[in-house]
Amino acid sequence: HVGRHVLQLQERSAAGSARPGGIFSRIVLVLGELLITAGVIVLLFVAWQLWWTNVDSDARQRDAVREFTKNLAMPAAPVPPPAVDHGEPKVSAEPETGATIGIVYVPRFGADYTRPLVQGTTPAVLDTLGIGHYEGTAMPGAVGNVAVAGHRQTHGAVLDNIDTLVPGDRIYVQTRDGYYVYSFRNTEVVLPDRTDVLLPVPTQAAASPTERYLTMTSCNPRFGSEERIIAYSLLERWQPASAGPPAEIAGQVRRAAGEG
């Protein structure tokens, strides 16, 4: 009798599995497992985008800064005051894509904010090497528009805090020729097709430049790319490499060069 009872239970179980309700439950179970798996994959992707790409890019950018500074002479003489007139800024020719033009320091972004400025705005540059210089725009110190781009939340997040700049903030660009000090003026948010912000006089197609602009571009909002945020600055002064770094960033420059 016991054996027959067990057999009957097995038959009922098999019959229940064959019923539409049993098949539906299995489908729901499988779909649930697939959704959980998809959710885990999405979380891993987000972690990779927001964490690992920054870790990897930060390491590459530190290497680029060290490589750029290792052969630069760092004069021990006192830094001249800003009132010293060093004449017309020296301007270098555009290098090949991927070459390091210099180093960018933005105290508003942190006391140790040091990022390489690299020629080009291809993914190969922006995703690994730091701030990219739009090819064909002015070089640091030149009359016209030095236009650059960088990511906000991924790949080093080099312009993550671009929206925190306030008028009067300084942006320092160090090249082999010297230091160029730009004073931030204002930001604007535009659609991605507004390439006129890269013109020699930003947004003014018919104008001939007489001033020296620095235009920083990045995605907007922080976690999206529907718009572009544009930060405009004007050259305030410059000093040759032989004069040493501006006093305001002397410590950052020494640390970037591995001197303390």
Side-chain angles (χ1 to χ4, degrees), residues 26-237:
R26 287 175 179 243
I27 293 174
V28 170
L29 181 63
V30 170
L31 287 175
E33 291 176 346
L34 289 174
L35 287 173
I36 291 172
T37 301
V40 170
I41 292 173
V42 169
L43 288 175
L44 289 173
F45 176 75
V46 170
W48 174 78
Q49 279 278 73
L50 297 181
W51 177 69
W52 177 249
T53 63
N54 288 334
V55 171
D56 183 53
S57 295
D58 284 345
R60 291 173 181 264
Q61 290 165 25
R62 284 193 299 269
D63 290 343
V65 168
R66 282 195 294 266
E67 181 66 24
F68 181 81
T69 59
K70 71 179 183 181
N71 294 322
L72 293 181
M74 297 292 292
V79 179
V84 173
D85 183 3
H86 294 287
E88 285 292 302
K90 187 171 181 179
V91 179
S92 296
E94 279 193 87
E96 62 183 13
T97 300
T100 301
I101 295 171
I103 303 172
V104 177
Y105 306 89
V106 187
R108 174 65 64 181
F109 296 168
D112 292 315
Y113 180 91
T114 305
R115 295 290 187 272
L117 175 61
V118 181
Q119 177 74 349
T121 54
T122 63
V125 171
L126 297 184
D127 289 356
T128 58
L129 296 177
I131 299 174
H133 173 252
Y134 284 95
E135 295 180 348
T137 68
M139 288 288 285
V143 172
N145 188 11
V146 183
V148 303
H151 290 295
R152 291 189 75 177
Q153 280 295 302
T154 60
H155 301 287
V158 294
L159 293 181
D160 184 29
N161 295 315
I162 187 173
D163 60 318
T164 67
L165 290 167
V166 298
D169 280 346
R170 268 65 179 189
I171 298 163
Y172 302 84
V173 180
Q174 176 190 11
T175 72
R176 298 186 186 281
D177 296 317
Y179 298 86
Y180 306 85
V181 184
Y182 291 87
S183 179
F184 171 72
R185 294 299 180 88
N186 66 288
T187 59
E188 83 173 314
V189 174
V190 301
L191 294 176
D193 61 355
R194 283 285 305 278
T195 57
D196 60 338
V197 301
L198 309 179
L199 291 172
V201 179
T203 75
Q204 299 183 36
S208 296
T210 58
E211 297 190 273
R212 307 168 199 268
Y213 302 91
L214 171 66
T215 298
M216 305 169 75
T217 71
S218 193
C219 290
N220 195 71
R222 288 181 73 193
F223 294 96
S225 58
E226 296 85 2
E227 303 165 331
R228 298 291 182 267
I229 183 169
I230 316 297
Y232 300 108
S233 302
L234 284 176
L235 186 71
E236 181 179 280
R237 66 184 193 270

